[in-house]
Amino acid sequence: AQSVTQLDSHVSVSEGTPVLLRCNYSSSYSPSLFWYVQHPNKGLQLLLKYTSAATLVKGINGFEAEFKKSETSFHLTKPSAHMSDAAEYFCVVSATGGGADGLTFGKGTHLIIQP
Amino acid sequence: DAGVIQSPRHEVTEMGQEVTLRCKPISGHNSLFWYRQTMMRGLELLIYFNNNVPIDDSGMPEDRFSAKMPNASFSTLKIQPSEPRDSAVYFCASSPRQAYGYTFGSGTRLTVV
């Protein structure tokens, strides 16, 4: 069994300040973890993924995330927010090795960027 | 590559009518997933296929929902009869293999009135 908890339903930051979107997971297997972004009226786009290689993962648009097994966390960060980052962000876990599971999505975090 | 293609983009239908949603995965991807997104529940996995074979349909809400993948380049999700509570955005996604990273289509926004 696996689950994902995104700790904040909404995050508001000022343009140019750091972004932190928090995600905790649980998984019976060594997990693969993903962050997806969804802009209004658009489909989901993969930002970055962790699949048991380097624990610090760099993604597109300046985002990165760090896998911390001891804390069962996979928080998403960006040093400086841009207005175009305003969107819904989903943390996702997938069991590896088990073979039978699809993805489990968090509820999403709505990122608001203040000018 | 055109990505995952879903049609139609928007569908408005009356309660009781049959609705068919379509998906064309990325060529060479052998896993295909159908998801439903609502405000209340977020994103839910409905069903997924590996090599055109349904692997897990435990997320399909009830017998009114059915999905098929007759070949590697096409899948359908059918709702018959449709109900207002089926109103949601339905996403299709494909992957070259599980846990590798998925590509999502733009979704079909279904409204049942």
Side-chain angles (χ1 to χ4, degrees):
Chain A
Q2 56 195 27
S3 67
V4 176
T5 303
Q6 290 183 244
L7 296 158
D8 307 292
S9 59
H10 291 79
V11 169
S12 180
V13 302
S14 297
E15 190 175 20
T17 65
V19 175
L20 170 64
L21 305 184
R22 298 183 294 164
C23 173
N24 287 105
Y25 71 92
S26 69
S27 177
S28 303
Y29 303 100
S30 297
S32 292
L33 292 155
F34 308 81
W35 276 98
Y36 282 85
V37 60
Q38 184 179 22
H39 290 276
N41 298 315
K42 300 278 175 130
L44 289 151
Q45 181 184 21
L46 179 64
L47 272 180
L48 49 81
K49 63 179 185 279
Y50 165 79
T51 54
S52 75
T55 56
L56 182 62
V57 182
K58 293 189 185 298
I60 62 172
N61 301 336
F63 284 94
E64 62 182 41
E66 187 171 6
F67 173 71
K68 292 186 177 180
K69 186 175 181 179
S70 60
E71 299 177 11
T72 61
S73 70
F74 190 59
H75 301 334
L76 182 70
T77 60
K78 183 173 180 177
S80 176
H82 191 273
M83 293 300 291
S84 61
D85 295 327
E88 191 85 12
Y89 291 79
F90 293 92
C91 181
V92 182
V93 65
S94 175
T96 57
D101 289 336
L103 303 178
T104 300
F105 282 76
K107 295 287 187 191
T109 298
H110 188 63
L111 178 62
I112 300 162
I113 311 296
Q114 307 280 4
Chain B
D1 195 329
V4 176
I5 300 172
Q6 290 186 246
S7 63
R9 289 295 307 274
H10 302 274
E11 176 82 33
V12 181
T13 191
E14 291 185 347
M15 184 174 63
Q17 296 298 307
E18 176 180 296
V19 175
T20 299
L21 312 181
R22 297 173 176 80
C23 176
K24 177 178 166 50
I26 290 175
S27 177
H29 284 194
N30 59 9
S31 294
L32 183 140
F33 301 77
W34 282 101
Y35 287 87
R36 177 171 68 176
Q37 184 180 33
T38 61
M39 290 293 290
M40 293 295 293
R41 290 201 178 90
L43 267 161
E44 305 170 274
L45 175 65
L46 299 177
I47 184 170
Y48 77 96
F49 297 83
N50 265 358
N51 298 317
N52 313 338
V53 176
I55 302 299
D56 183 359
D57 65 354
S58 59
M60 297 284 263
E62 47 198 274
D63 291 345
R64 298 184 297 105
F65 286 69
S66 63
K68 293 182 180 178
M69 192 165 186
N71 57 61
S73 59
F74 184 65
S75 177
T76 59
L77 177 68
K78 186 177 291 186
I79 308 171
Q80 165 64 20
S82 58
E83 296 182 4
R85 60 194 168 115
D86 302 331
S87 297
V89 180
Y90 291 81
F91 286 102
C92 177
S94 70
S95 169
R97 60 181 170 90
Q98 282 182 302
Y100 190 77
Y102 296 67
T103 302
F104 282 80
S106 297
T108 295
R109 183 175 295 277
L110 174 65
T111 304
V112 183
V113 297

